[in-house]
């Protein structure tokens, strides 16, 4: 059982990675413009576009836009994903 908000989102990240790690990897690659590395040259134009339009703003401000503790929540979630991967 979660003892606090961090534990809750950590567990959610862990369980989501257990069930959907391949999907997370594809989303990560779509966001970073590295899909062509695994799917081949047909994805190169998309990767180039993604890299050209990459987010270059203040990440902390963006993560906290929808929730005052957004940064902590997202970090707890990704810590759970990384724990599963490890």
């Amino acid at each position: 059982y979660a003892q606090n908000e961090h534990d809750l989102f950590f567990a959610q990240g862990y369980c989501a990675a257990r069930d959907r790690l391949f999907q997370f990897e594809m989303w990560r690659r779509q966001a970073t413009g590295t899909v062509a590395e695994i799917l081949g040259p047909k994805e190169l134009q998309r990767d180039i576009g993604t890299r050209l339009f990459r987010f270059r703003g203040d990440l902390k401000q963006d993560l906290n836009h929808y929730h005052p503790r957004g940064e902590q929540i997202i970090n707890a979630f990704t810590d759970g994903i990384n724990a599963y991967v490890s």
Side-chain angles (χ1 to χ4, degrees):
Y1 292 94
Q3 300 299 311
N4 53 50
E5 187 175 72
H6 178 275
D7 292 353
L8 170 69
F9 287 104
F10 181 94
Q12 186 180 15
Y14 187 94
C15 291
R18 184 188 61 209
D19 296 338
R20 299 181 173 273
L21 191 58
F22 179 77
Q23 183 179 17
F24 283 4
E25 177 63 12
M26 292 306 297
W27 286 347
R28 184 190 69 77
R29 287 181 172 278
Q30 288 172 351
T32 59
T34 57
V35 176
E37 291 178 5
I38 58 172
L39 296 183
K42 66 182 180 191
E43 299 296 330
L44 192 56
Q45 288 301 312
R46 181 190 1 201
D47 284 353
I48 291 169
T50 298
R51 291 178 186 204
L52 287 172
F53 293 108
R54 190 184 81 200
F55 179 75
R56 291 176 174 83
D58 181 344
L59 183 58
K60 182 175 184 164
Q61 180 183 5
D62 195 55
L63 292 175
N64 291 323
H65 179 75
Y66 295 105
H67 193 282
R69 292 183 311 284
E71 182 180 22
Q72 291 89 350
I73 290 169
I74 295 297
N75 286 333
F77 185 81
T78 56
D79 287 347
I81 292 169
N82 290 331
Y84 177 79
V85 170
S86 292

